[in-house]
Amino acid sequence: MPIMQPRRSRHTQLPRQILATCAVGAFFLASGSLLLSSEARAANCADLARLALPNATFTKVETIDAREWHSPQTDLSRIMTAPGMNLAGHPVQAANPAFCRVAMTLHPSSDSAIQTEIWLPLQGWNGKLLGVGNFGWAGSLMYDGMVTGLGEGYAVASTDTGHDSSTPEGQGGRFTLGHPEKLVDYAYRADHLMTVMAKQLVRRFYGKAASHAYWIGCSLGGLEGLIEAKRYPDDYDGIVAGAPPNPIVNFNGEQLWAGWMSYHDPALRVGREKFQLLNRAVMVACASPVGKSQGFLDEPDKCRFEAKQLLCKGKDTKGSLTANEVKAVEQIYRGPVDPQTGKVIFPGPAKGSEDGFSADGKAFPVALDLFRYAAFQNPAWDWTTLKWDTDIASATSKLGPLLHIDDNLTPFFKRGGKLLMYIGWNDGHNPQELAGYYQALMQHAGPTGQKSARLLEVPGMGHCYGGAGCDTFNKLGAIDAWVVRHDAPQTIIASRVENGEVIRTRPLCAWPQVARYDGHGPMTTAASFNCIVPE
């Protein structure tokens, strides 16, 4: 992607890099080390530009003064600067400390152009490395997450995964059309090469290796974290994976389901006001006093309210659901089904999240791109013809080997790796599905693995952040304490932030525990809740 120029930066003139002619497979030594000309410590930031890097070219090496970095203002930056997306749980993003910025393009194949940046704090380095995961279809660097990590003392790294979302051909999944190597870069190669490169630059700049390396990401970034744990268990010591859409073919199929269903049967189209009616009824029936006062369902999996309880007694009214509306809601909750086996392909969203439902006969664009571009390589593919048995199976056969992660991460756990997963109950991704994956992970991992993974289900939180719940918590601090001090996160305090101020707090409990109000203290204070295993 284009490199944005921060103000008052000191630019370093770079010599023209000569591309190495060695084969792509020789990009890294068997040990994972870069082919560097020497192992002497770099004298300063500019000195890094003189490294000999096969299949890579520097695009910028410069020193950025404290408070002088300004991220490009995009839709992504508006998401990443929300309090709930702050990796360290800060209500407000702090300005950057001074750092050495290294930007480069990696080209492990003839069709690869992976934009990567590694930022190295000039003072106060804590000895560790942080990789920041992407969002959506990627295509840009996660600058705001990098600023957060830098402020916590980390050397940080990010990549666009090999395509530029600011260009027409790089938007959504278009970049995969006719470019199998770019799909490989997106799936796993870009993140791994970024990580190995970052570790080598850290060693060169500071004269010693990073003591620990962590990965944090949500949505695509969460899936990237699972892929790293599976394919490259030595890359990271701790991984925080938020709402990982895995298996992504099934998940994106579920995202198309309500639109597909209501396209083929217009009688199943439901207006937003009816979904809001349903949500209010669910809240009345199932929310605790705390949930009612704060606007979310505390334990959606315990809610037994059924849409048919709102069935109109006669004609359609604003306060009831027609038989077709009830049918549509029930099918959205259930999710798509394989017509040959009767098995649910991916479960629908949880109760309490109805305000975000849609059944308007239209496709969900992000999910549509996975099928028409990445899987079927056909921009004209008609999503309304999707066959829930053969098309899902076909897409899985093509993308599963690249993007699906099974429930065996034992090599990562055996080397001491820690995995913290989290997800919001108001996410379109049902947390019960992720809990099932977590249980399968634990079954594979055995006794040792029981100490290596945790799952947090966040009441009232949307997709990665937002919603009425407490969505802001210190993910970076939690994974660091776990890896360094072996302090497994049983309880993490989360905050609800409005206008830069914390207005309430609540504990997040390691699954299967849930936070229950003690009935005595303020409902707005985490100390008034206890983590218990529900009956």
Side-chain angles (χ1 to χ4, degrees):
M1 64 182 293
I3 301 298
M4 303 299 292
Q5 301 291 339
R7 292 179 290 185
R8 293 177 56 192
S9 58
R10 296 195 295 269
H11 298 270
T12 300
Q13 295 296 321
L14 303 181
R16 182 177 299 275
Q17 300 297 314
I18 300 175
L19 302 184
T21 58
C22 59
V24 171
F27 189 91
F28 295 98
L29 297 173
S31 65
S33 298
L34 282 171
L35 298 174
L36 298 177
S37 58
S38 68
E39 288 298 325
R41 178 178 178 178
N44 52 45
C45 182
D47 212 32
L48 294 174
R50 288 186 277 275
L51 296 180
L53 305 176
N55 297 322
T57 52
F58 288 107
T59 55
K60 194 173 295 294
V61 177
E62 62 180 350
T63 297
I64 306 295
D65 294 332
R67 310 183 68 85
E68 290 304 316
W69 172 262
H70 302 278
S71 298
Q73 296 303 296
T74 64
D75 289 340
L76 177 63
S77 66
R78 284 186 283 276
I79 292 172
M80 288 303 298
T81 53
M85 293 296 287
N86 190 282
L87 307 185
H90 297 311
V92 178
Q93 175 68 63
N96 68 282
F99 66 97
C100 173
R101 179 193 183 196
V102 180
M104 61 185 66
T105 303
L106 309 180
H107 27 82
S109 81
S110 60
D111 196 29
S112 296
I114 304 167
Q115 303 304 316
T116 300
E117 294 199 22
I118 296 98
W119 292 2
L120 307 161
L122 296 182
Q123 294 181 336
W125 179 50
N126 64 12
K128 302 163 192 170
L129 171 68
L130 172 65
V132 183
N134 297 89
F135 204 79
W137 272 101
S140 58
L141 280 81
M142 305 298 281
Y143 288 124
D144 295 293
M146 295 176 77
V147 171
T148 300
L150 198 71
E152 299 297 304
Y154 287 82
V156 292
S158 177
T159 172
D160 68 356
T161 74
H163 64 284
D164 183 355
S165 62
S166 69
T167 64
E169 64 274 12
Q171 292 177 1
R174 292 180 182 87
F175 70 94
T176 66
L177 190 62
H179 294 280
E181 293 295 339
K182 289 186 182 298
L183 181 56
V184 171
D185 290 337
Y186 169 80
Y188 59 83
R189 188 161 55 192
D191 291 328
H192 174 60
L193 298 188
M194 173 202 79
T195 302
V196 177
M197 180 73 74
K199 288 183 177 182
Q200 291 294 325
L201 288 181
V202 162
R203 181 182 299 157
R204 176 58 64 93
F205 191 66
Y206 297 110
K208 62 180 180 180
S211 60
H212 296 99
Y214 306 134
W215 174 276
I216 300 183
C218 192
S219 192
L220 172 63
L223 177 58
E224 289 174 309
L226 294 185
I227 291 172
E228 273 289 318
K230 179 67 179 182
R231 287 184 173 270
Y232 307 105
D234 292 332
D235 275 5
Y236 291 96
D237 305 294
I239 291 172
V240 181
N246 181 52
I248 195 167
V249 168
N250 303 54
F251 174 70
N252 281 173
E254 187 276 331
Q255 289 183 308
L256 290 176
W257 166 242
W260 184 94
M261 169 195 75
S262 54
Y263 174 87
H264 285 278
D265 187 352
L268 299 182
R269 297 183 186 181
V270 182
R272 177 168 171 75
E273 70 281 355
K274 290 298 186 80
F275 284 132
Q276 292 174 328
L277 167 69
L278 175 62
N279 181 251
R280 290 192 296 270
V282 167
M283 289 291 296
V284 169
C286 298
S288 73
V290 174
K292 285 183 172 70
S293 69
Q294 297 179 2
F296 57 87
L297 201 59
D298 313 65
E299 299 176 39
D301 53 333
K302 301 296 187 296
C303 181
R304 299 295 174 255
F305 183 85
E306 300 290 340
K308 61 186 178 183
Q309 293 174 240
L310 292 176
L311 183 64
C312 299
K313 305 303 182 184
K315 65 178 183 179
D316 185 10
T317 68
K318 292 182 179 180
S320 65
L321 300 178
T322 66
N324 279 326
E325 288 170 340
V326 169
K327 180 181 178 181
V329 168
E330 290 175 343
Q331 292 196 21
I332 292 172
Y333 281 141
R334 184 201 63 193
V337 171
D338 184 326
Q340 298 299 320
T341 65
K343 182 180 178 181
V344 172
I345 293 169
F346 202 92
K351 290 178 181 175
S353 57
E354 298 80 10
D355 195 25
F357 287 6
S358 175
D360 56 6
K362 298 178 181 178
F364 189 66
V366 172
L368 176 59
D369 277 10
L370 180 102
F371 290 92
R372 64 178 172 180
Y373 293 126
F376 301 140
Q377 295 284 298
N378 178 12
W381 178 73
D382 184 356
W383 72 281
T384 67
T385 67
L386 191 155
K387 298 177 178 60
W388 293 99
D389 47 4
T390 56
D391 283 349
I392 296 296
S394 177
T396 297
S397 69
K398 295 172 182 176
L399 299 181
L402 296 175
L403 291 164
H404 288 190
I405 300 302
D406 63 23
D407 51 20
N408 185 358
L409 299 182
T410 303
F412 175 70
F413 295 142
K414 280 189 174 180
R415 64 165 292 269
K418 309 301 182 187
L419 173 64
L420 175 62
M421 297 188 294
Y422 69 94
I423 191 168
W425 271 112
N426 283 25
D427 197 315
H429 182 170
N430 195 319
Q432 289 178 283
E433 187 279 332
L434 190 57
Y437 178 72
Y438 171 80
Q439 289 174 291
L441 276 180
M442 295 298 91
Q443 290 175 355
H444 252 129
T448 301
Q450 305 297 317
K451 301 178 181 178
S452 301
R454 292 289 185 274
L455 169 64
L456 305 174
E457 296 178 336
V458 186
M461 187 175 82
H463 184 54
C464 297
Y465 75 109
C470 293
D471 66 342
T472 304
F473 59 101
N474 189 354
K475 307 165 187 70
L476 185 52
I479 197 68
D480 183 49
W482 195 1
V483 170
V484 175
R485 301 198 301 270
H486 309 291
D487 184 9
Q490 289 300 118
T491 303
I492 297 177
I493 304 302
S495 303
R496 167 75 175 173
V497 177
E498 292 184 3
N499 299 318
E501 300 291 334
V502 174
I503 63 169
R504 63 174 182 266
T505 58
R506 180 186 178 101
L508 305 179
C509 310
W511 189 91
Q513 292 187 326
V514 298
R516 293 266 179 88
Y517 176 56
D518 64 12
H520 303 294
M523 292 181 180
T524 57
T525 303
S528 303
F529 294 79
N530 298 310
C531 288
I532 67 166
V533 177
E535 297 178 358

